[in-house]
Amino acid sequence: MKEQIIEINVNSLEEKYEFNKVAKQASGAVMYRQGKAVLIAAVAIDEKAVDEDFLPLTVQYMEKSYAAAKIPGGFIKRETKPGDFETLTSRIVDRSLRPLFPKGFYFPVTISIMVVSSDEEVDMQVAALHAANAALFISDIPFATSIAAVRIGTVDDDIVINPTLSQQGNSELDLLVVGSGKDVVMIEMRTLASENESVQNANEFHEAALVDVIATAGEAIEKATSAYEEAFAPLVREPLELTLAEDKVDESLYAYIENNYASDVEKAISHMAKSERSTELKKVRTKIMETLESAGKEADKELVSKVLERYKKTVVRAMILDKNIRADGRALDEVRPISIETNLLPSVHGSCLFTRGQTQALVTVTLGDKKDAQMYELITEKNSQSEKFMVHYNFPGYSVGEAKYIGAPGRRELGHGNLGKRALEPVIDLNYDGSIRLVSEILESNGSSSMATICGGALALRGAEVEMVDLVAGIAMGLVTDGDKYAVLTDIMGLEDHDGDMDFKVAGTVHGITALQMDIKLGGIDLNVLRDALEKASKGKNHILKLMEDAEQNIVTSEALPSTEHFTVHPSKIGEIIGKAGATIREIIERFEVSIDLDRDVGGVKVAGGDKAKVEAAKAHIENIASAPVKKQMEYKVGESYQGKVKKIVDFGLFVEMPDGFDALLHISKVAKERVNDLPQRYSEGDEITVVVMEQKGKKVELATPEYLA
């Protein structure tokens, strides 16, 4: 195979694709270049299909330290566990490509993306998506669709397509849209508040404006996918002869279930609305099999399960589209009942138990110092970064009734935690002088647990008295379509997520959206449907916010909440607060049982402790030190005697406190005519001593004893 190089310039991206150059034994591979960034993407397939009814797709995005001319930090000098950015990027690539595989494709596929050279201005997520897309498109896997990713930002209030990383740093909008042709398949959005902004200026994006921006992204995607398909088409390899699984349904068995067990299935569906477990449906399956066996008919458990699942899905969708009835009896735009309890954990800085229907999140907030921030590295940054607002999401098996070991968080947990962080961060004061860790423990789940994390998280932050602009609520929307008919569902549960066509999560304040995440199972969504979904999401979000505002009024401050005082003194006084060798500040810390952080440049002082009275006393003590008049050094007359006090005895002489309060050195050679080695025997700290000033240069005063001069 001859090496092929294709250069494409579209949507402000200058990309170079090198095919048949690397990883030639893979099903498809490419060396992708953009600026100084170089990525290698390779696709491999196992031609033996799995028995399960799903696509076993594995995506791994890996950043190599050498790509940025670095050696990995820590004890082990090689890449080990992937970082959060790598995991989240892998997840984005998976969510973008998975919906486009043909129906019935159940062959294990791996997509590996390595960053082997970095660029401080290149968006690695867009680069990873395009590299993976090219490798998959030209591979021998029957995959005839190209995707394109578009990042939208704002620069000086202007919409910019695919901004550079430095432009993204100044943008108030971060919108990633992935699609194919005219179809949008994945959206990730967040708003960004400038670190120079005060907490009074949160950044939300209005729902109506967002649809127009997505439409702009859609036009750019259509342009890009056309360019990619045209350029890559001549390089597509001979496709493998793969037999796709046929979605066959035993029509007679389907009709038998429909005619004889319709009421049993509807009753089971109503039970499934209360839990993600399908126990009731299993009971129906057992009943069907027993009836068939007693009638002397063959009853294959796997076949009955598959047909029953198909019928159940048909019933759920028909109830919604034809009757506007949901499994739990709610109206299409109705939010499940909500209960909220705040600061229920006495030894925690802030906490909230947020329950919506059969989804429950216990969210806690812990406040820490700057040193408690999470350190991390990005391949596009030279220096280590510090994450001072952390959101950790945990999803134990018992939350859905599963007997499952609780281990390290997986991609789903990291993704949901990241969504919660993106939703809440825009309303928090970014100038907060410390670290915040928010942890969400999902105790029960039947859909929208990430949104419960956001709602409970906002109230837990309020409970910890973190300065915020507004409360943030999150809501998960669903979609069911059939031809020209569609229904938008508010606050979807697990059953509706499983059998629906869209998972659309929206979070924000009363003024607009702070974060959004959408995955489409259809292969695309009409913008009018998207606009309708956003309008209904706004209505549901505001309903939840009203309940949260009511709960906020009942927050009782936690006894565990540390008291913190922020104030400023004149920068010249910081040295006096510290004292010689840190003696003064150590004495304050021990006496008042507080921690103290100082900023020498601006004179900033932060005092924190568990006892409010002691914190206030420490503040008063520091302010007294800072308000004391500035000591002025005397002008001494050379040759005259003065009374001093021995402050400290050292090997090379004595430090003497002079009448003006400043210390001067009496060198051992100036004590007597002959060298004296027994100073500790002759003098004690605190002794009065007569000294003669030999010379004064600024603050430096040279002393001698009268004995020396005699």
Side-chain angles (χ1 to χ4, degrees), residues 340 342 351-352 354 455-463 471 548 551-552 555:
I340 301 170
T342 56
S351 58
C352 177
F354 185 90
C455 298
L459 288 168
L461 288 165
R462 285 289 201 208
L471 289 173
M548 291 171 62
E552 183 185 14
I555 292 177

Side-chain angles (χ1 to χ4, degrees), residues 261-324:
Y261 295 94
S263 60
D264 293 289
V265 172
E266 288 191 18
K267 190 180 294 184
I269 289 172
S270 68
H271 281 279
M272 291 178 71
K274 299 172 185 174
S275 171
E276 288 188 346
R277 302 172 72 188
S278 54
T279 306
E280 295 300 318
L281 206 62
K282 289 177 182 176
K283 291 179 181 178
V284 177
R285 182 189 64 193
T286 301
K287 189 176 179 180
I288 293 170
M289 292 183 65
E290 288 175 350
T291 305
L292 290 172
E293 287 171 354
S294 63
K297 297 180 180 178
E298 184 179 352
D300 180 82
K301 183 178 180 180
E302 185 177 339
L303 178 62
V304 172
S305 296
K306 189 172 183 178
V307 175
L308 183 59
E309 175 65 25
R310 169 62 68 86
Y311 178 66
K312 182 266 295 181
K313 183 174 182 178
T314 302
V315 171
V316 169
R317 295 171 66 88
M319 287 169 60
I320 293 169
L321 288 171
D322 300 333
K323 304 176 183 177
N324 287 344

Side-chain angles (χ1 to χ4, degrees), residues 325-345:
I325 297 174
R326 300 170 73 170
D328 58 358
R330 280 185 292 152
L332 300 187
D333 62 351
E334 185 178 349
V335 178
R336 288 173 290 178
I338 291 174
S339 68
I340 301 170
E341 189 176 349
T342 56
N343 279 358
L344 67 160
L345 304 178

Side-chain angles (χ1 to χ4, degrees), residues 43 55 63 122 185 215 224 239 248 254 281 328 347 458 529 621 656 676:
V43 179
L55 166 62
E63 295 181 339
V122 171
V185 297
K248 290 182 178 180
Y254 187 94
L281 206 62
D328 58 358
S347 297
V529 176
H621 185 77
V656 178
V676 179

Side-chain angles (χ1 to χ4, degrees), residues 330-382:
R330 280 185 292 152
L332 300 187
D333 62 351
E334 185 178 349
V335 178
R336 288 173 290 178
I338 291 174
S339 68
I340 301 170
E341 189 176 349
T342 56
N343 279 358
L344 67 160
L345 304 178
S347 297
V348 176
H349 293 163
S351 58
C352 177
L353 183 65
F354 185 90
T355 308
R356 175 167 52 200
Q358 293 79 42
T359 295
Q360 186 178 69
L362 175 64
V363 191
T364 62
V365 166
T366 308
L367 307 180
D369 293 325
K370 288 179 181 178
K371 66 179 181 295
D372 295 313
Q374 175 68 60
M375 302 299 294
Y376 66 97
E377 291 186 353
L378 292 175
I379 203 166
T380 52
E381 298 283 348
K382 290 182 178 178

Side-chain angles (χ1 to χ4, degrees), residues 150-210:
V150 171
R151 179 88 68 181
I152 301 288
T154 54
V155 177
D156 298 328
D157 296 326
D158 294 327
I159 298 297
V160 177
I161 295 177
N162 290 327
T164 62
L165 289 188
S166 58
Q167 288 176 323
Q168 288 180 34
N170 298 319
S171 176
E172 293 186 345
L173 173 67
D174 179 14
L175 173 68
L176 178 64
V177 184
V178 183
S180 178
K182 295 182 179 181
D183 295 328
V184 172
V185 297
M186 200 276 303
I187 299 175
E188 288 239 340
M189 171 261 182
R190 61 173 174 162
T191 57
L192 302 167
S194 168
E195 295 212 11
N196 295 321
E197 292 187 41
S198 70
V199 72
Q200 286 79 25
N201 295 318
N203 177 31
E204 304 97 345
F205 212 81
H206 196 270
E207 287 85 351
L210 183 60

Side-chain angles (χ1 to χ4, degrees), residues 341-585:
E341 189 176 349
T342 56
N343 279 358
L344 67 160
L345 304 178
S347 297
V348 176
H349 293 163
S351 58
C352 177
L353 183 65
F354 185 90
T355 308
R356 175 167 52 200
Q358 293 79 42
T359 295
Q360 186 178 69
L362 175 64
V363 191
T364 62
V365 166
T366 308
L367 307 180
D369 293 325
K370 288 179 181 178
K371 66 179 181 295
D372 295 313
Q374 175 68 60
M375 302 299 294
Y376 66 97
E377 291 186 353
L378 292 175
I379 203 166
T380 52
E381 298 283 348
K382 290 182 178 178
N383 301 319
S384 295
Q385 306 297 305
S386 179
E387 181 185 18
K388 59 184 181 181
F389 177 51
M390 299 159 276
V391 178
H392 298 154
Y393 168 101
N394 298 314
F395 191 90
Y398 64 75
S399 66
V400 290
E402 293 179 357
K404 188 178 177 183
Y405 174 76
I406 299 175
R411 290 186 177 185
R412 181 178 182 274
E413 284 84 356
L414 289 173
H416 281 11
N418 182 60
L419 178 58
K421 174 183 167 68
R422 291 190 288 121
L424 292 167
E425 196 168 41
V427 300
I428 296 175
D429 185 3
L430 294 177
N431 295 312
Y432 173 73
D433 186 27
S435 302
I436 304 170
R437 182 181 184 232
L438 186 151
V439 180
S440 176
E441 310 286 1
I442 303 304
L443 305 181
E444 187 180 357
S445 178
N446 188 10
S448 308
S449 58
S450 61
M451 300 296 97
T453 294
I454 292 168
C455 298
L459 288 168
L461 288 165
R462 285 289 201 208
E465 297 184 353
V466 174
E467 197 171 355
M468 299 165 62
V469 184
D470 264 321
L471 289 173
V472 177
I475 191 164
M477 308 297 292
L479 176 71
V480 177
T481 63
D482 185 10
D484 295 332
K485 289 195 298 183
Y486 77 89
V488 174
L489 307 178
T490 297
D491 181 26
I492 59 172
M493 52 190 169
L495 176 66
E496 294 163 339
D497 184 9
H498 182 269
D499 291 335
D501 300 317
M502 177 183 76
D503 182 14
F504 187 27
K505 299 181 176 75
V506 181
T509 69
V510 291
H511 304 294
I513 298 173
T514 57
L516 178 151
Q517 180 178 293
M518 183 183 77
D519 292 297
I520 301 295
K521 303 174 187 177
L522 302 169
I525 185 173
D526 184 271
L527 287 178
N528 290 323
V529 176
L530 179 59
R531 184 176 285 105
D532 187 16
L534 279 170
E535 288 175 358
K536 288 183 168 63
S538 179
K539 179 182 175 183
K541 177 193 68 179
N542 291 337
H543 165 75
I544 298 167
L545 282 169
K546 179 64 175 65
L547 298 176
M548 291 171 62
E549 288 167 3
D550 293 341
E552 183 185 14
Q553 303 304 314
N554 300 320
I555 292 177
V556 177
T557 303
S558 170
E559 295 179 3
L561 191 64
S563 178
T564 305
E565 291 284 349
H566 295 266
F567 57 100
T568 58
V569 299
H570 194 278
S572 65
K573 294 290 186 176
I574 294 294
E576 293 183 37
I577 295 170
I578 296 172
K580 289 188 182 298
T584 304
I585 196 169

